[in-house]
Amino acid sequence: MDLKDYIRSIPDFPKPGILFYDVSTLLAHADAWQVTMGRMAKAARAHQPDVIAGVESRGFLVAAPLALKLGCGFIMVRKRGKLPGATIQHTYQLEYGEDTVEIQDGAIEPGQRVILVDDLLATGGTCTASIELLRKVGAEVCAMACIIELGFLKGRERVDVPVHALVTYDE
């Protein structure tokens, strides 16, 4: 099954000149969603994760069912101020300014094997920051997995763990 057949392209969203790859059409198609999760599980299983970490917010849609399918835990990597209780933060630089990602304190035990999951890998900025955050608390980040990779943005080059992408767009 070619998963690209189930991903909708929306021009000029969220602003002019951007071509947005919408996974909601993939999620809505039961067979395509089953195939997607099966392929993600096969890629992830090889790394023997203890925990799947999903990146806010569309990454949650992939990471939570993947964790369930693999029989491991799921944690959320969120923007600052969205998680209750004590958190561990990591601030990183953007092209114009900075942003912060965080996880709940105690969500990861030192030495746990973690796979970071998102719906899409673009420039790799949030992915790299999330990996640094997970390492800050002692996680062994063993891979990153996503449904879509925008290969032309070269985000994979910034990520220092194996990257598993089910679909790649090169232009």
Side-chain angles (χ1 to χ4, degrees):
M1 175 181 288
D2 187 351
L3 297 178
K4 284 184 178 181
D5 293 341
Y6 301 93
I7 298 170
R8 179 172 55 165
S9 300
I10 302 175
D12 299 320
F13 183 82
K15 60 184 182 180
I18 302 291
L19 181 60
F20 184 81
Y21 293 101
D22 182 17
V23 296
S24 65
T25 48
L26 175 78
L27 300 173
H29 191 280
D31 290 339
W33 183 225
Q34 283 284 352
V35 168
T36 299
M37 292 312 303
R39 290 178 185 173
M40 292 285 282
K42 182 178 180 183
R45 195 173 282 115
H47 297 282
Q48 300 176 322
D50 300 306
V51 176
I52 303 295
V55 179
E56 183 174 334
S57 68
R58 288 185 305 271
F60 299 168
L61 299 172
V62 183
L66 180 60
L68 186 64
K69 190 171 188 74
L70 295 174
C72 57
F74 163 71
I75 66 157
M76 296 175 281
V77 177
R78 300 212 62 186
K79 301 288 182 171
R80 180 191 337 229
K82 304 255 180 128
L83 291 170
T87 60
I88 307 296
Q89 300 180 342
H90 179 73
T91 299
Y92 62 104
Q93 295 302 308
L94 299 169
E95 188 174 346
Y96 300 104
E98 62 182 29
D99 206 349
T100 300
V101 289
E102 60 186 18
I103 60 173
Q104 290 175 310
D105 190 16
I108 300 279
E109 294 178 25
Q112 282 191 303
R113 295 176 59 79
V114 179
I115 294 178
L116 183 69
V117 174
D118 206 348
D119 70 318
L120 182 137
L121 175 62
T123 64
T126 302
C127 177
T128 300
S130 299
I131 290 170
E132 290 176 17
L133 170 62
L134 293 165
R135 287 179 176 154
K136 186 186 283 189
V137 298
E140 180 186 338
V141 182
C142 48
M144 188 275 171
C146 57
I147 297 173
I148 300 170
E149 177 182 4
L150 302 181
F152 59 92
L153 293 177
K154 303 193 183 306
R156 179 184 290 255
E157 294 175 8
R158 295 181 66 186
V159 180
D160 66 355
V161 298
V163 174
H164 301 281
L166 301 183
V167 173
T168 301
Y169 293 94
D170 287 319
E171 51 185 80

